[in-house]
Amino acid sequence: GENVEQHPSTLSVQEGDSAVIKCTYSDSASNYFPWYKQELGKRPQLIIDIRSNVGEKKDQRIAVTLNKTAKHFSLHITETQPEDSAVYFCAARGGWDMRFGAGTRLTVKP
Amino acid sequence: EADIYQTPRYLVIGTGKKITLECSQTMGHDKMYWYQQDPGMELHLIHYSYGVNSTEKGDLSSESTVSRIRTEHFPLTLESARPSHTSQYLCASSEFGGRANEKLFFGSGTQLSVL
């Protein structure tokens, strides 16, 4: 099955700085790569996703890039704010199931 | 309001007990998942289902079973609970979009403690 690796496990940035989280996947047939944000004590929620036929997607301050050849994708958050502090998960759909990375705990210091 | 519901929210039980974690969704979704979230955050796939009478195993499926008799209901059963099962269990659902985008909606989770 699909194996997703995510780095770093923790990330601390100053408010206003950018944050980048990287993921790699193992199954070359994977075709869909979402990112979820989980705030403390809350459910994970989808924040952005990308399909395998697209190289980059943006939504306001967040963007995702995909390199199919290298089998890695990244989440970029610009102009970080304290409310961006949360755990972020990447995921990949290989076949019919959705596998998640181990998560990145992002802390944005005011 | 359409949502995905998990009960109980918290459960403390003794070793060896059989338990069932409930998950129901009123979103009309075909696909449902169970994940185990450990204290280190990682989400491990336990089981998933494409629809009624369809269930598939994930990575941590050996000690649990699921059933999908109705579209809206996807219970998870641990036949004999052990302290290693202490964790948060998250249920999720999605529209079965085949090769299209697939947004997962998560329940609030069941926090299980096995003594």
Side-chain angles (χ1 to χ4, degrees):
Chain A
E2 175 65 272
N3 182 47
V4 180
E5 294 190 356
Q6 181 171 346
H7 301 279
S9 58
T10 61
L11 180 59
S12 181
V13 299
Q14 209 65 36
E15 182 177 359
D17 288 350
S18 295
V20 180
I21 302 170
K22 299 181 179 181
C23 289
T24 60
Y25 60 98
S26 61
D27 187 351
S28 56
S30 289
N31 65 344
Y32 175 65
F33 308 93
W35 287 87
Y36 285 79
K37 175 183 180 182
Q38 186 176 26
E39 297 178 32
L40 188 63
K42 296 190 176 180
R43 323 177 191 191
Q45 292 199 320
L46 179 72
I47 55 171
I48 195 168
D49 56 12
I50 191 167
R51 297 178 66 176
S52 58
N53 59 348
V54 176
E56 184 176 3
K57 183 178 179 180
K58 290 183 180 180
D59 183 4
Q60 298 182 337
R61 296 188 296 109
I62 61 173
V64 57
T65 58
L66 171 66
N67 183 327
K68 280 191 66 177
T69 303
K71 290 191 281 188
H72 67 70
F73 56 113
S74 301
L75 178 71
H76 305 255
I77 306 174
T78 59
E79 301 173 20
T80 53
Q81 300 167 4
E83 52 265 38
D84 294 330
S85 295
V87 176
Y88 291 82
F89 293 96
C90 62
R93 188 179 63 199
W96 301 108
D97 58 28
M98 194 77 73
R99 304 293 175 116
F100 284 81
T104 297
R105 188 178 300 278
L106 173 65
T107 302
V108 180
K109 298 177 181 178
Chain B
E1 181 181 341
D3 204 347
I4 179 165
Y5 302 93
Q6 288 187 244
T7 57
R9 186 71 178 91
Y10 302 95
L11 180 61
V12 180
I13 60 167
T15 297
K17 298 292 185 183
K18 178 179 178 179
I19 60 168
T20 296
L21 307 184
E22 301 289 346
C23 177
S24 293
Q25 50 98 1
T26 56
M27 309 181 86
H29 287 164
D30 290 320
K31 209 166 174 188
M32 296 187 75
Y33 295 85
W34 274 105
Y35 290 91
Q36 180 179 332
Q37 186 168 34
D38 61 28
M41 308 176 300
E42 188 164 0
L43 289 161
H44 301 279
L45 180 63
I46 310 173
H47 294 277
Y48 61 104
S49 166
Y50 301 120
V52 172
N53 294 327
S54 118
T55 60
E56 301 290 338
K57 296 180 184 296
D59 299 328
L60 298 183
S61 59
S62 63
E63 300 172 2
S64 61
T65 58
V66 290
S67 63
R68 192 86 184 276
I69 298 172
R70 302 195 321 262
T71 299
E72 63 271 21
H73 195 214
F74 190 42
L76 174 73
T77 298
L78 297 178
E79 294 293 333
S80 180
R82 298 204 304 267
S84 61
H85 292 140
T86 294
S87 190
Q88 166 142 267
Y89 291 81
L90 287 172
C91 181
S93 71
S94 72
E95 287 183 297
F96 181 40
R99 309 295 280 182
N101 296 9
E102 183 181 355
K103 179 178 180 179
L104 266 61
F105 292 84
F106 284 87
S108 297
T110 292
Q111 181 62 50
L112 174 65
S113 295
V114 184
L115 306 179

